[in-house]
Amino acid sequence: MKFQHLLPLEGQVKSETLQYVIQIITYLASQQTGTFNSVFYDMKTTESYNNLLGLLLQSPQLNHIVKIPANTTFAKTTFCRQSSLMVIHIGNSEDLNWHDNFMSIMRTWNSRIRILLLVDETQWALALIVRFSLYNTNKFSKIVILNMTSKTIHRTEFDGSVKVISHVEPSEVFVDPKRDLKGKRFYYNLLSLSQRAAIVDEELIGPDVRWVKETARFLNATPRLASNPCPTERNSLTFCYQSAFLGQSDIVIGLDRLSRHAVRPHFDRQLYCITPMWSAVLVPNGRQLNLAELFSKPFTWEAWTCLLVVLLAMECLKLLLRGLFENDPILLAICGIEKYNLHRASWFEKLMFFSLIVIFFLMTTGYEAKIIALMTERPSTQIIRTINELIKSGLKVKADLRSFLRVVNSTTIGPLIVNASSSEQMDGVNAYFTGYDAAKLTETLYINYDQEQNRKRYVLLPEPVNMSIVFYTLQFRTKFFEILYWTQRIFFESGLTARWAEEVLKQYRHEYSPKDVLDPSEAAILRFKDITPAWVALAIGLVLCGIVLGLEILSAQKRFPVKILLVRVMAAIRVSCRFKFRKY
């Protein structure tokens, strides 16, 4: 674009005004990271840019910024929608048809753009009309009027009033009016409760609620929960809630997390959540381990096989090389019983048995620690661990299709879905499909804890299902988008969001647990019935010791070796079995 016809204007426009506007633009460009786009809009229909805007466009001091000229014939594009500054010259426009076209073009830009109106003294009434339309119709909040004659600044405050300031430094022209709202009410709303926004003890709590309240406190505002005038049976995407309620009221944000199949570039009423939303499946927990499984649980079958092979190899070596070993490998390594003083044994026996003693000392120490831990909290044999195992099991998955209608189209668990109410009690037989937050909450509640078996009735499968990107609905062309976007990430990165979510779980447990129910945190304390495996092991050991002692006594009285007694006992048992078989 050529501006040779603007050269005579240099004498008509005050150099002080020109330099002052250049200083404002230069300062804003220096404070922004990334590309600084500046739009220069002339409202005149004829002889466009035959004014201060033309001098700004051809000023060499602004060659480092992107300059976008625009007028009443400007075509709507998404290229400059996120511009940083718009400089509008009112001029001497007396066109009565400018309003509709101008307002339509202004809706192209984001409502958070800074607007600098350049006004002559003769067109002050028109400037006030333009400012009023920008603030009330298109919801622009950062509007500053510069009187080019007196060089005074008329700044629009948060409540729509105008503050007149003289001799303002370029760094103080655009001041965020939201930083101090002076106790103004900050409205928010939600339709459905969840772990992120729940009611406990008649108080609304949750990470999303805390986020909004702390943001309002940061802005020196008063957070208020707005009542919903729409019918409660309608979902959050109805016309009433989206248009009549959020569109025409003072509600800043709706805390219901919504998802959309397609994202439109001009849809600026959505603030995306940092974390996606997904669903999960709760499956019945398996049975508790029996005594045999409990005693074998500390080691894997590979470890048991290795130990057994070592002991059998030592026993075979003792039988093959008679006289080489004086001690029994099993009695010495496991029980610590010496038949012969190991210090007086041969060097080969010392070499073999010292290494064996060290290995089994470490193994028995680890086994004792794990068996005590398993007795404290006996695990369950969870049969289903993945979605594929759930499909193979043939279990039905109950889901409230009013909230999860699309799950029936799932290629994985869709054929297993059975419709059920969300208020239905879990029967302990079928699996249940619900949102991840609700599933996580249900898993930790007391109603899901079996006091007799000391375990959870339902467990959460770790695989997410139907993951989707969700967002919060904001007020139409809201002024609070940037501050909500910033505080949301600050709280998430600092770990406060996760901490608030844990606080909700704790308060839920305290609120909805019966008074006579044992706290799961106290389940780690050993009770008498928890040490049943220890009593069983002691009883087995005592019985075996008694049998061996009895055989030794009989052997000493009748002067028969123990081996002969064992052979005679086995022979008597065999004869008895044959006699009974012939009788029948």
Side-chain angles (χ1 to χ4, degrees):
M1 184 177 291
K2 303 298 183 180
F3 299 98
Q4 288 83 356
H5 65 284
L6 304 178
L7 296 178
L9 286 175
E10 296 182 359
Q12 302 177 15
V13 179
K14 293 182 179 180
S15 60
E16 295 181 0
T17 305
L18 177 62
Q19 290 300 319
Y20 184 66
V21 177
I22 292 176
Q23 290 175 9
I24 294 174
I25 299 174
T26 304
Y27 172 78
L28 295 177
S30 65
Q31 298 299 310
Q32 178 172 318
T33 58
T35 305
F36 183 86
N37 293 332
S38 185
V39 180
F40 296 88
Y41 189 98
D42 195 350
M43 293 181 60
K44 293 181 61 177
T45 56
T46 58
E47 297 183 0
S48 299
Y49 302 104
N50 190 19
N51 45 43
L52 180 59
L53 289 184
L55 298 178
L56 292 173
L57 286 170
Q58 65 179 355
S59 173
Q61 300 179 42
L62 300 178
N63 287 340
H64 63 287
I65 68 171
V66 178
K67 297 185 285 289
I68 304 173
N71 52 25
T72 54
T73 60
F74 180 77
K76 299 180 181 180
T77 63
T78 59
F79 170 71
C80 56
R81 187 170 181 269
Q82 300 293 337
S83 298
S84 308
L85 174 68
M86 176 179 287
V87 183
I88 302 177
H89 192 279
I90 300 296
N92 298 318
S93 174
E94 297 178 356
D95 188 359
L96 298 180
N97 298 324
W98 67 269
H99 183 271
D100 294 337
N101 190 26
F102 176 71
M103 290 296 105
S104 177
I105 293 175
M106 290 305 296
R107 277 192 289 271
T108 304
W109 280 277
N110 195 294
S111 61
R112 297 173 293 277
I113 188 175
R114 302 179 185 91
I115 297 179
L116 178 62
L117 294 175
L118 304 179
V119 182
D120 291 327
E121 196 72 49
T122 57
Q123 294 295 326
W124 189 251
L126 180 60
L128 294 179
I129 296 175
V130 172
R131 188 207 69 85
F132 180 84
S133 299
L134 291 174
Y135 181 83
N136 290 277
T137 304
N138 284 333
K139 305 298 181 181
F140 291 100
S141 58
K142 302 175 183 178
I143 306 173
V144 172
I145 302 176
L146 172 61
N147 190 328
M148 294 186 294
T149 305
S150 60
K151 216 174 84 171
T152 56
I153 293 294
H154 298 252
R155 182 191 300 149
T156 302
E157 298 297 311
F158 182 81
D159 56 358
S161 61
V162 178
K163 184 178 182 179
V164 182
I165 313 173
S166 301
H167 308 290
V168 181
E169 293 294 328
S171 60
E172 299 178 357
V173 173
F174 286 96
V175 179
D176 191 357
K178 302 186 299 298
R179 186 58 187 87
D180 185 8
L181 298 184
K182 301 177 181 179
K184 182 180 174 63
R185 292 184 177 181
F186 191 93
Y187 287 103
Y188 63 96
N189 175 259
L190 76 159
L191 292 181
S192 59
L193 299 176
S194 65
Q195 182 186 347
R196 305 187 65 86
I199 296 179
V200 178
D201 292 333
E202 299 181 355
E203 180 184 2
L204 188 62
I205 62 172
D208 285 353
V209 178
R210 287 292 299 273
W211 162 46
V212 172
K213 288 184 177 180
E214 294 300 326
T215 301
R217 189 166 68 93
F218 175 74
L219 299 175
N220 193 20
T222 305
R224 286 288 185 272
L225 177 64
S227 58
N228 182 19
C230 297
T232 56
E233 64 271 8
R234 298 186 182 182
N235 57 39
S236 55
L237 293 178
T238 56
F239 176 80
C240 174
Y241 183 70
Q242 287 287 342
S243 301
F245 186 33
L246 291 178
Q248 305 298 330
S249 67
D250 294 330
I251 297 176
V252 177
I253 183 172
L255 295 182
D256 295 280
R257 296 191 295 171
L258 311 175
S259 61
R260 188 178 296 276
H261 299 292
V263 179
R264 294 177 295 172
H266 292 285
F267 193 74
D268 58 354
R269 293 183 58 186
Q270 54 194 19
L271 174 62
Y272 285 97
C273 303
I274 298 177
T275 56
M277 184 173 65
W278 63 87
S279 302
V281 180
L282 288 165
V283 295
N285 204 350
R287 61 173 177 81
Q288 276 194 327
L289 297 178
N290 54 39
L291 289 179
E293 293 170 334
L294 187 65
F295 280 116
S296 62
K297 183 70 174 177
F299 296 151
T300 60
W301 67 269
E302 293 90 347
W304 285 115
T305 303
C306 180
L307 293 177
L308 185 61
V309 168
V310 170
L311 290 176
L312 290 178
M314 292 295 293
E315 287 290 340
C316 293
L317 191 62
K318 179 187 176 183
L319 294 175
L320 293 175
L321 303 176
R322 293 182 179 275
L324 187 61
F325 292 151
E326 297 292 339
N327 291 287
D328 186 86
I330 296 178
L331 292 178
L332 182 59
I334 299 178
C335 304
I337 299 176
E338 282 184 323
K339 288 185 176 181
Y340 183 76
N341 193 342
L342 190 59
H343 294 284
R344 297 180 181 179
S346 63
W347 65 270
F348 184 76
E349 184 174 355
K350 288 180 181 179
L351 178 64
M352 299 299 292
F353 277 92
F354 279 152
S355 58
L356 196 65
I357 289 171
V358 172
I359 292 174
F360 274 88
F361 171 76
L362 297 176
M363 297 298 290
T364 53
T365 304
Y367 183 86
E368 291 171 0
K370 290 208 71 174
I371 199 69
I372 291 175
L374 293 175
M375 286 191 298
T376 304
E377 186 175 355
R378 186 180 296 188
S380 303
T381 58
Q382 183 183 346
I383 302 174
I384 301 174
R385 297 179 180 87
T386 62
I387 296 295
N388 289 333
E389 292 180 359
L390 175 64
I391 297 173
K392 293 177 181 178
S393 69
L395 281 180
K396 294 298 181 181
V397 181
K398 291 188 176 182
D400 191 349
L401 297 183
R402 294 176 300 178
S403 303
F404 304 99
L405 182 59
R406 289 190 298 168
V407 71
V408 295
N409 300 325
S410 174
T411 57
T412 55
I413 64 173
L416 306 177
I417 295 297
V418 176
N419 189 20
S421 174
S422 58
S423 59
E424 179 180 327
Q425 293 291 334
M426 294 186 293
D427 52 17
V429 177
N430 298 292
Y432 286 85
F433 179 88
T434 184
Y436 176 79
D437 291 338
K440 186 68 176 178
L441 178 62
T442 303
E443 188 189 26
T444 58
L445 287 179
Y446 292 104
I447 58 175
N448 189 46
Y449 194 79
D450 191 342
Q451 298 293 320
E452 296 182 358
Q453 301 295 330
N454 194 17
R455 66 187 179 93
K456 296 177 180 178
R457 293 187 174 92
Y458 274 82
V459 292
L460 179 64
L461 294 185
E463 298 180 50
V465 183
N466 293 345
M467 182 178 292
S468 59
I469 305 299
V470 292
F471 61 89
Y472 304 99
T473 303
L474 302 178
Q475 189 181 28
F476 175 69
R477 297 178 70 85
T478 180
K479 312 175 183 68
F480 298 99
F481 180 88
E482 290 133 327
I483 191 66
L484 289 170
Y485 177 87
W486 178 71
T487 55
Q488 182 191 32
R489 276 146 183 79
I490 288 294
F491 294 147
F492 179 81
E493 293 172 3
S494 63
L496 288 175
T497 303
R499 178 180 176 84
W500 293 335
E502 288 296 327
E503 290 178 355
V504 173
L505 288 177
K506 291 180 180 179
Q507 295 191 39
Y508 252 113
R509 296 192 198 108
H510 179 73
E511 175 70 14
Y512 294 102
S513 63
K515 303 304 179 183
D516 56 345
V517 172
L518 179 67
D519 192 333
S521 61
E522 299 177 3
I525 302 174
L526 273 178
R527 292 172 290 179
F528 185 81
K529 67 177 182 179
D530 295 327
I531 58 176
T532 302
W535 290 112
V536 172
L538 180 61
I540 294 174
L542 290 176
V543 169
L544 293 178
C545 291
I547 293 174
V548 174
L549 179 61
L551 293 175
E552 289 287 348
I553 294 174
L554 292 175
S555 172
Q557 290 179 353
K558 296 185 178 182
R559 298 180 181 180
F560 288 128
V562 176
K563 291 183 178 179
I564 297 177
L565 286 175
L566 289 176
V567 170
R568 290 187 176 183
V569 170
M570 295 298 296
I573 294 174
R574 185 179 300 177
V575 171
S576 175
C577 292
R578 288 179 179 178
F579 177 76
K580 290 182 179 180
F581 178 76
R582 290 177 181 177
K583 184 178 180 180
Y584 289 101

